[in-house]
Amino acid sequence: MTFLEPLTLTGRYVTLEPLNQEHHDGLVDAARDGELWRLWYTSVPAPDEMETEIQRRLTLQEQGSMLPFTTRLIGPATGGPGRIIGMTTYMNADAGTPRVEIGSTWNAASVQGTGTNPDSKLLLLQHAFEVLGCPAVEFRTHWLNHQSREAIARLGAKQDGVLRNHSRTREGILRDTVVFSILEHEWPMVRAGLEYRLARRG
């Protein structure tokens, strides 16, 4: 058994399913919802790049450094699987610590602000801390992606620092990366905050 095994996580609003190529068309539709690939500070794949991106993530899964998920709404009427709204992952996995980063996440524009993101993060964080036994979980984002930075801070993550000229964007521009983390002893308070946010919506 490897550190990260494919599994399905089910929450209040979303289900996180192991990514596979059959999700391609649904992911293309989700990316078109808001034309998310046009946001220069994110790395959402364009429709014609989706197949390559799925394969990239699956290759990293085979190498043991990533566990990619497709994010799917739970049907409000049936409680069953609904439409695909995006992707998320455990990435940069370190089995020795153990430690993971939650990242490479995007959701269709029409569901942003509806509770799907905190629901997804609650599922991923709970599994990381309570099943995988991680002492810390990391988040990273572009310095100029203020929406992402604010969302991570709302989770209860603390900013560790900024990696200057850390990596290049698709356009070849050097970017600064903001690093956040949640530590194991902070998880109960973070969990309570996420559960409260979701309960208020319910």
Side-chain angles (χ1 to χ4, degrees):
M1 178 180 290
T2 62
F3 170 52
L4 294 178
E5 292 284 347
L7 78 163
T8 298
L9 300 172
T10 301
R12 183 187 295 254
Y13 298 115
V14 301
T15 297
L16 303 182
E17 302 176 0
L19 175 68
N20 65 65
Q21 287 288 358
E22 293 179 2
H23 294 145
H24 174 272
D25 292 351
L27 288 166
V28 167
D29 290 342
R32 284 182 173 143
D33 181 348
E35 298 189 341
L36 301 177
W37 67 92
R38 299 188 188 279
L39 300 174
W40 64 273
Y41 51 79
T42 68
S43 56
V44 179
D48 62 351
E49 299 170 342
M50 191 64 70
E51 184 175 357
T52 300
E53 176 60 14
I54 292 172
Q55 189 54 55
R56 183 189 75 84
R57 295 189 186 206
L58 293 177
T59 298
L60 290 172
Q61 176 178 306
E62 291 173 2
Q63 296 170 355
S65 66
M66 177 181 281
L67 182 58
F69 297 91
T70 294
T71 308
R72 189 188 290 272
L73 284 177
I74 295 173
T78 65
R83 69 184 174 98
I84 289 172
I85 59 168
M87 308 169 84
T88 191
T89 75
Y90 287 132
M91 56 192 292
N92 295 323
D94 171 14
T97 304
R99 186 182 178 105
V100 292
E101 176 188 341
I102 295 173
S104 291
T105 301
W106 58 269
N107 284 328
S110 63
V111 300
Q112 293 177 14
T114 64
T116 57
N117 185 56
D119 195 27
S120 171
K121 294 301 188 292
L122 177 59
L123 291 170
L124 292 169
L125 287 165
Q126 186 167 25
H127 187 72
F129 285 116
E130 299 179 15
V131 178
L132 299 178
C134 294
V137 174
E138 189 173 297
F139 300 84
R140 297 187 178 201
T141 192
H142 194 306
W143 170 260
L144 294 176
N145 190 344
H146 298 288
Q147 180 181 355
S148 177
R149 289 171 58 186
E150 291 168 3
I152 294 169
R154 281 197 303 273
L155 294 174
K158 293 182 172 60
Q159 183 172 318
D160 295 326
V162 181
L163 304 176
R164 305 291 303 279
N165 282 358
H166 175 242
S167 61
R168 292 189 183 274
T169 65
R170 286 176 297 184
E171 295 77 19
I173 301 170
L174 284 168
R175 78 169 218 179
D176 295 346
T177 298
V178 190
V179 183
F180 296 81
S181 66
I182 298 172
L183 303 184
E184 186 177 20
H185 73 271
E186 298 167 338
W187 164 235
M189 187 62 68
V190 171
R191 180 181 57 204
L194 285 168
E195 289 173 344
Y196 176 72
R197 286 169 62 183
L198 292 169
R200 288 186 65 190
R201 290 185 173 277

